[in-house]
Amino acid sequence: MAPSTPSPDSVEKDPEAAPNSTRQSRNLSFARRSSKAREAGYQNEDPFAGEESGEIQYRTMAWWQASAIMIAETISLGILSLPSVLDTVGLAPGIILIIGLGVLATYTGYVLGQFKLAGTLTRYPYIHTFADAGEVLFSPIGLGAFGREFFGIAQVIFLVFSMGSHVLTWTIMMNTITTHATCTIVWGIIGMLIFIAFDTPRTMKNLSYYSIASFISILTAVLITMIALGVSPPPGAGPVKATEKAQFYTAFNSVSNIVFAYAGHVSFFSFISEFKRPEEWPKALFLLQGADTVLYIVAAIVIYYYATDQVQSPALGTTGDLVKKVAYGMAIPTIIIAGVVYGHVSSKYIFVRLFRGTPHLSSRSLLATSTWLSIVFTLWLLAWIIAESIPVFNDLLSLISALFASWFTYGLSGVFWLFMNYRTGWFSNGPRKAALSVLNMGLVGMGTAICGIGLYASGKSIKADSGQGASWSCADNSKSSA
């Protein structure tokens, strides 16, 4: 059972309503405390400590709001690749993999919550991101600074690649709806600017309301696709196959696509840091995992059952031209909002890294605002470059999963558990503790295997698919104009 933490003090709902003199006084008070924190080593302080005196408060999310954001982040693109997984490996192995990896992802998410909350109560109240967790892991061997920077860089790269997948999906969607009305690169630039506009707020609370619209959006788009396929299956669709023979690299890429469907863990520390009551994390996690696993199974089975070997990835492109345009139109909110969540988390990490322990972290000063906007713009520019460089949807997801999701979703949770339980002994407290030790050692091995084999498989797939879509091309990447 995860340890509980005391709830933070209530915060003023409308700081802008305070007179200027009052706000200046509060900022001065916060600056004095921040100065003391820096003198004592502010990297070891809670980054949002004393935020009540600032103009912006971060710890304002209820658990259901966090669930809404995580559902929007996780279900958006992951669900669109799963029907093609069943086509590649067969119905039975595909369902087993979706359920099995989903159960493990629930456990690893719970372990991340334990690590965060245990740190809050003991020596590590400053854990806000995987970078902070990396410092904790490497500190016993005198490499805390290396652990912080290594994990921080890996986290940002993972998030930027995920942002790139949303830019790519945006271009596919626009080419589908408009029947490739203009150059794909132009659609990418337009999408990038829209993502930047939605990422201008600095707190997550507002994202929760957008996320509800995102969930309704993807659910409606998938329902339209399933109903349309049930009414009119694609011509030439073959029989449903319980198992399927496939080349090793294509089969393993299917595993990687399922891993990506559960790849929201990279943001979990950041989400918990903005909870009003961090001890309510399990509620948010179980709602997320229950919702995404059920939807993944239903959507994958129904779409594959009717489309079989004619299924496409993203799955919304499997139906006829008109329905496909309607489905993609309904998916616009989730394509945007889920990408915005990734952009926000990556930008927030860099912003907090720069201004931790300074009054700018919780102020609307010119320096703080301009820095935030610059970070957002730069990260989305990099995401657009990635989207233009790897133009095949499944290949991009497989590469992201192999490099990063293998560790952030599975492997590192095993490492964190082993770290937390090292002093009490892994095999010295009964069979339950021994079984958990074996499980978490297995998660570390699983992360290693998915990373190593997945890189090989995604590399082979990118090479094999090199003729399907040209990098930095105006060509249609949705096949709608064929």
Side-chain angles (χ1 to χ4, degrees), residues 48 50 99 115 178 200 262 268 284 286 295 366 415 418 426 464:
F48 300 143
I99 295 175
F115 190 77
T178 66
T200 53
Y262 295 110
F268 284 0
F286 296 148
L295 285 173
L366 178 61
V415 175
L418 295 171
W426 297 331

Side-chain angles (χ1 to χ4, degrees), residues 3 31 59 101 183 214 250 257 343 354 416 422 427 433 438 476:
R59 290 184 297 203
L101 290 172
C183 174
S214 173
T250 57
N257 284 339
L354 291 174
F416 292 143
Y422 174 73
F427 298 99
K433 186 69 171 291
V438 172
D476 184 9

Side-chain angles (χ1 to χ4, degrees), residues 390-412:
I390 307 176
V392 179
F393 181 74
N394 271 6
D395 291 346
L396 181 54
L397 298 192
S398 298
L399 180 62
I400 295 169
S401 299
L403 274 173
F404 304 110
S406 57
W407 287 106
F408 286 114
T409 301
Y410 296 106
L412 286 177

